[in-house]
Amino acid sequence: MYINYSRRDFLKTTALGVWAASTGGCLQPRKIAGKHPNLVFVFPDQMRGQAMGFLNEEPVITPNLDRFAQQALVLPQAVSNYPVCSPFRAMLMTGRYPHSNKVTSNCNSNSAPFNCELQETDRCWSDVLKDQGYSLGYIGKWHLDSPHRPFIKCRNNSDKLAWNEWCPPRRRHGFDFWYAYGTYDFHDRPMYWKTDAQRNGFHYVDQWGPIHEADQAIKYIKNEGGQFRQSGHPFALVVSMNPPHMPYKLVPQRYVDMYKDKTLDELCQRANIPAADTQLGKYYRNNIRYYFAMITGVDEQFGRIIDTLKEQGLDDNTIVIFTSDHGNCLGIHNEISKNNHYEESMRVPFMIRFPGKIPARRDDFLLSSPDIYPTLLDLMGLKREIPTLVEGNSYAQWFQTSRGDHPDSQLYMWCPVGKPEWGRRGLRTHRYTLMISKMPDKPEEILLHDNVDDHWQLKNIAEQQPQLVNQMTAELKALLRKNRDPWLES
Ligand code: CA
């Protein structure tokens, strides 16, 4: 159905025309997607998939996620295929793997000379929804722009290495409400650019980031004063919280206090945590209480957001997703953080609720990050709008029925900055994780883990299982060939 144009719509359409011209796209009449559902997409940063109370894998307190899991499709085997910030975010937004969307590393001043940022020409799912008449809001961390000189004067940016950058409106891919930043890790005094703020017009807030962002999300959902979105139009809102990202101790004491009855031993039940007298063992023990406390704080804010949907009578026609951009090892496997093939890094929470459309259940489905975009559009009744350049697959049918196409592996990748032909590639199946590392100055390294017999991934069985390594390497190469990954040539 096409709408009658008001002057306001005409002006917006004109702006859309400029966008369409600048991206080589065709200008289509704006449509109202009256029957299409709303979307609320919440993703904290660096929350490992194991860290949700109801899974009984970690002693973490998450009453809201536990309750939500009863109403949602829960995919405990979902991964971040390139488990670090910007590559995940670009796969999420474009539905394409890093070599196609150009975000082959984190966006910062080191990768900036390699054009490593979300491309204006990519057609994101948010661009598609905008053209369908959706209102779109983005709150929190974006991290898809290269910093350029003079760098924004703030923490996270030094003269030698800068992370944070303003996202100008032309690069927002349809989001018309903006309350966001690039990269800023100081959760107790976060900074934001509002929709109309210029590059030097950011502001600081004396409130814990997730609480403030939930406040903004609630206002957006309620559309307070009619100022946040177009009433009568469907909306899509992304809330991208920074915790449980480091620095871990920047968390309100009340969430830490919720763990005061738990001893350190009770918090450190994973059998692969390094010994207490090692450097990384100490690091884990110094931080895990705060990491869990942050997750509990995020859980509370997520609960506030979904309670608002219910209060507003919107929960029946709103798809809600809870996930994360990657996990976190916190010292496990000698890895201080993420960006590796281990379970603590790759596995992310993934829960989707769509009442009456997606039956609540738990499923070992092997979801990959680029699949989120086409699956979402398909679930929203917009399958025909999925751009042909999208490389992920729609698994809407599986989400709705547990029948139909489903993958039997997931890709893993990491590239050195500016050298996408090198680095690590891998394949994760229902049982195994294979990782092959190729670096210009080192011999090739192959790791194979049996995640069933060796749940904690403590043994490399590559030498004992040459046939399996060959078979999985062939499957890996077939996937990489589809993505035209230059690693195959190195
Ligand atoms: Ca991140």
Side-chain angles (χ1 to χ4, degrees):
M1 181 173 81
Y2 300 126
I3 57 171
N4 293 320
Y5 290 118
S6 65
R7 179 173 155 72
R8 199 171 161 211
D9 284 317
F10 172 75
L11 291 172
K12 285 196 172 175
T13 307
T14 308
L16 183 71
V18 172
W19 170 83
S22 70
T23 59
C26 303
L27 179 60
Q28 298 288 329
R30 287 167 59 83
K31 302 166 187 172
I32 287 185
K35 288 185 196 159
H36 296 306
N38 307 308
L39 170 69
V40 172
F41 194 105
V42 179
F43 73 123
D45 189 329
Q46 200 156 289
M47 178 169 161
R48 62 164 85 126
Q50 295 85 348
M52 295 191 286
F54 69 91
L55 291 176
N56 292 318
E57 292 192 57
E58 303 267 20
V60 59
I61 301 167
T62 57
N64 292 287
L65 292 169
D66 299 351
R67 199 161 44 244
F68 183 74
Q70 301 289 320
Q71 307 158 1
L73 167 61
V74 181
L75 305 182
Q77 301 302 322
V79 299
S80 175
N81 301 80
Y82 187 153
V84 73
C85 241
S86 309
F88 170 83
R89 289 160 194 269
M91 287 188 281
L92 170 68
M93 293 311 301
T94 66
R96 308 172 78 194
Y97 282 93
H99 290 102
S100 301
N101 66 36
K102 311 257 189 260
V103 185
T104 53
S105 297
N106 254 340
C107 300
N108 58 32
S109 54
N110 279 347
S111 64
F114 303 98
N115 188 24
C116 178
E117 62 179 357
L118 182 60
Q119 305 294 298
E120 273 180 68
T121 48
D122 249 319
R123 185 158 167 83
C124 299
W125 56 264
S126 47
D127 293 310
V128 174
L129 294 186
K130 193 70 196 168
D131 289 355
Q132 293 291 321
Y134 273 68
S135 289
L136 287 123
Y138 199 99
I139 297 170
K141 180 172 181 172
W142 174 247
H143 200 183
L144 284 168
D145 295 294
S146 288
H148 58 88
R149 291 182 187 273
F151 299 136
I152 306 282
K153 280 195 174 33
C154 67
R155 294 166 86 177
N156 274 83
N157 281 1
S158 75
D159 210 36
K160 286 188 181 149
L161 181 62
W163 292 84
N164 198 13
E165 184 53 86
W166 175 59
C167 180
R170 69 170 197 282
R171 293 183 42 79
R172 290 179 191 165
H173 289 277
F175 289 101
D176 51 75
F177 173 80
W178 194 257
Y179 198 94
Y181 57 91
T183 304
Y184 194 76
D185 293 334
F186 299 91
H187 325 307
D188 55 344
R189 194 165 183 261
M191 58 102 81
Y192 304 94
W193 279 273
K194 291 183 183 176
T195 307
D196 297 324
Q198 294 301 302
R199 190 170 185 254
N200 60 1
F202 56 88
H203 69 285
Y204 289 95
V205 175
D206 286 312
Q207 205 177 9
W208 194 52
I211 297 177
H212 186 67
E213 289 154 22
D215 287 350
Q216 298 304 313
I218 288 166
K219 287 181 190 174
Y220 185 91
I221 292 166
K222 290 182 173 173
N223 198 16
E224 277 189 9
Q227 292 175 359
F228 289 79
R229 55 188 174 83
Q230 281 187 283
S231 63
H233 287 236
F235 65 88
L237 173 67
V238 180
V239 188
S240 167
M241 301 172 180
N242 198 199
H245 193 279
M246 70 279 263
Y248 303 112
K249 290 184 182 165
L250 297 183
V251 53
Q253 187 62 33
R254 66 186 161 104
Y255 301 124
V256 185
D257 288 346
M258 290 169 77
Y259 291 85
K260 66 177 186 296
D261 296 332
K262 292 191 193 291
T263 65
L264 201 49
D265 278 350
E266 285 170 327
L267 295 177
C268 295
Q269 292 296 310
R270 300 184 75 75
N272 51 7
I273 298 167
D277 59 354
T278 61
Q279 201 184 351
L280 286 171
K282 283 180 195 149
Y283 180 80
Y284 193 93
R285 286 165 182 78
N286 281 338
N287 289 303
I288 190 64
R289 187 178 296 274
Y290 300 95
Y291 181 67
F292 286 162
M294 281 191 173
I295 291 171
T296 301
V298 165
D299 172 88
E300 187 177 288
Q301 306 320 313
F302 177 65
R304 291 177 60 215
I305 292 169
I306 55 174
D307 285 352
T308 305
L309 285 174
K310 192 172 175 65
E311 280 162 28
Q312 299 292 311
L314 293 167
D315 52 353
D316 272 352
N317 195 34
T318 300
I319 296 175
V320 178
I321 292 182
F322 183 90
T323 186
S324 183
D325 57 348
H326 50 79
N328 188 0
C329 289
L330 270 167
I332 292 171
H333 304 296
N334 289 319
E335 293 283 347
I336 201 158
S337 191
K338 61 267 182 178
N339 215 353
N340 58 66
H341 67 280
Y342 292 110
E343 293 286 274
E344 291 83 357
S345 173
M346 276 190 88
R347 266 183 61 197
V348 288
F350 192 93
M351 298 200 275
I352 178 167
R353 184 181 77 179
F354 192 7
K357 300 283 171 53
I358 297 180
R361 66 200 192 277
R362 210 183 286 189
D363 192 309
D364 281 340
F365 186 87
L366 297 178
L367 187 72
S368 285
S369 315
D371 299 330
I372 298 172
Y373 173 160
T375 302
L376 251 181
L377 286 192
D378 197 351
L379 288 167
M380 295 170 104
L382 297 168
K383 187 176 186 178
R384 293 174 61 183
E385 305 296 329
I386 299 168
T388 50
L389 287 175
V390 163
E391 295 166 348
N393 297 308
S394 168
Y395 294 110
Q397 190 192 359
W398 187 277
F399 278 33
Q400 290 170 313
T401 64
S402 284
R403 290 194 302 273
D405 288 344
H406 59 283
D408 43 31
S409 65
Q410 296 152 315
L411 202 58
Y412 160 73
M413 61 184 298
W414 168 77
C415 309
V417 174
K419 296 187 174 69
E421 68 277 24
W422 295 102
R424 303 188 288 262
R425 303 293 186 271
L427 195 74
R428 182 180 183 274
T429 67
H430 281 293
R431 177 157 187 175
Y432 299 99
T433 302
L434 173 78
M435 191 285 289
I436 304 173
S437 176
K438 290 202 282 190
M439 293 297 279
D441 47 354
K442 288 182 184 164
E444 185 173 286
E445 184 189 4
I446 303 177
L447 291 182
L448 179 68
H449 297 295
D450 180 337
N451 303 330
V452 174
D453 280 356
D454 173 27
H455 180 72
W456 304 106
Q457 299 183 302
L458 297 170
K459 295 177 214 150
N460 176 15
I461 56 165
E463 280 189 22
Q464 290 98 297
Q465 296 269 19
Q467 221 175 337
L468 182 58
V469 168
N470 286 343
Q471 182 199 322
M472 287 185 70
T473 303
E475 286 173 38
L476 169 64
K477 287 184 173 172
L479 278 179
L480 297 178
R481 223 166 277 127
K482 257 169 74 178
N483 301 335
R484 298 169 300 280
D485 190 320
W487 186 86
L488 290 164
E489 317 302 328
S490 67

